[in-house]
Amino acid sequence: MSMFETTTTTKVVRQVAFLPLVAIIFFSVSGGAYSLEALVSASGPGLALLLLLLVPVIYGIPIAAITTELATAIPAEGGTYEWMKRSLGGFWAFQAGLLRWINSWVDMAIYPVLFAGYFSTLVPILGEGEVVFFSFGPFQLDLRWLTGVVLVIIPMALLNIRGAKSVGDSALLFTVFALLPLLIVAGLGIWRLIMEGANPFVPFMPAAEAPGTAIAVGLSVVMWCYCGFDRVGLIAGEIKDPGKTIPKAMVVSMIVIIATYALPIIGALAVPGWDEWYAGSFSDVAAVLGGSWLAGFVTIGALFCSIGLYSSLLMSSARTPFVLSRDRWLTPALARQSRKTGSPVVSIIVCSAIYALFAMGDFVDLVVLDVFLINILLLMNLVALIALRIKQPDLPRPTKLPWGWWGIAVVGVPLVASVFFLMYLQWLDYGAIAFVILAATLGVSLIAYLPARWYQRRHQTSALEPVNALAASSHR
């Protein structure tokens, strides 16, 4: 049977086991320390390392804890969309789903371009603007874009169509190739630090940088590095034994992510010149520590990092239009699935086409929208958690936050404070344009609800599988 044979049913197959889920979470959140070099030059070695160890406590762990309770209580596809539907109803569910999908348009376009950028260090002709076919406004079709499409977008779309198991298994392989070069850098560098008796936390901050600026820049970057744990909810319907697998995978992936951020940075600090680091300096550090072979290996690792990020994020991102279509907010064509694996074939293809289009453009200003929407969705998750505790206190929760409302406060207060502080930093960086872009996006989402609701009323059928049945089946 061909993997392209589709069905209109909306059942999913639980096929993602523990280790593949750890790898998927790793790439949904991190991918390793690639591009974190600029954090050190902006904030200083000591502050950068401190933030990498501290921010998970006030931001990353709360996101993971909230997601774990919700995803194990309602282990169905859709994440924030499904949680808002169960807690606050269709209007807020639609907003969550549409905003999640819009956010992916900007976010996902980064990784094929990033891959091509790393690849251009090996093949210079692939550099930005080297071979341009045509330009139109913010869009530019060049050889660099074509490389991203041919080597990332198309192959990873085919991999995702093969199913969640293929994505998870490949993510394990990508993890090895992405992390091994940086682990070698970490090992060689830490050994040199030990032999020289050097302290990687010194100096704590750059002498020429104002403390407030160093802290603000560092927090902004590191919070971004820990914000993807809630994507597990988007694929919860495809995870084997979610009540046990999700919490274990969250704990292990958190440890792996913190270690793979901090250890390569510590090792790299054995090489002088951290004040001039930029995104990509790991290759220069690797050349000093191990020679040209290690520098090349780091570049290859960065390529696998980009592929792994794109593949895992495509898997979760494609589930958003799938669930919107399943509930008839969008055309039912987007709910068509592979008969063999249950993967949302049409949704994957449509998302891939959108991401290829955005990868062609120069949308630097839209990065601020990415940050805003991610954090709005995180606040929605917290609201859904609280609302479900009130409305459905007897809902089975295999992994429930302890200590009742105090437990929710322990994770909720630092998360809310972090989100609003990050929004404040966006205001400082981008000014009023940041909120203009956000207001325009929210306005489009609010207006889109009216035709979407009209369409849903005309086309919704009783054949759709109820969420309660999905949730109940996972607890058997």
Side-chain angles (χ1 to χ4, degrees), residues 20 71 217 242 245 311 330 381 404 430 438 465 468:
V217 172
T245 304
S311 177
L330 300 174
N381 294 341
Y430 293 90
L438 175 63
E465 186 174 25
N468 287 352

Side-chain angles (χ1 to χ4, degrees), residues 42-43 47 51 204-219:
S43 297
L47 180 58
L51 290 174
F204 189 74
M205 284 190 290
E209 193 73 71
T213 302
I215 294 171
V217 172
L219 271 174

Side-chain angles (χ1 to χ4, degrees), residues 41-130:
S41 57
S43 297
L47 180 58
L49 290 171
L50 180 63
L51 290 174
L52 288 171
L53 299 174
L54 178 62
V55 168
V57 177
I58 62 174
Y59 189 67
I61 291 175
I63 296 170
I66 292 169
T67 301
T68 300
E69 175 170 327
L70 290 169
T72 54
I74 308 175
E77 301 288 83
T80 308
Y81 168 83
E82 203 64 55
W83 305 332
M84 294 301 285
K85 183 171 76 172
R86 286 287 293 272
S87 60
L88 296 181
F91 172 79
W92 289 107
F94 175 79
Q95 299 304 314
L98 186 60
L99 291 176
R100 173 74 73 179
W101 195 25
I102 292 173
N103 175 68
S104 75
W105 300 352
V106 181
D107 188 41
M108 292 294 293
I110 295 171
Y111 303 109
V113 175
L114 188 64
F115 174 91
Y118 284 125
F119 201 27
S120 68
T121 64
L122 302 176
V123 185
I125 196 174
L126 301 178
E128 184 177 6
E130 289 291 330

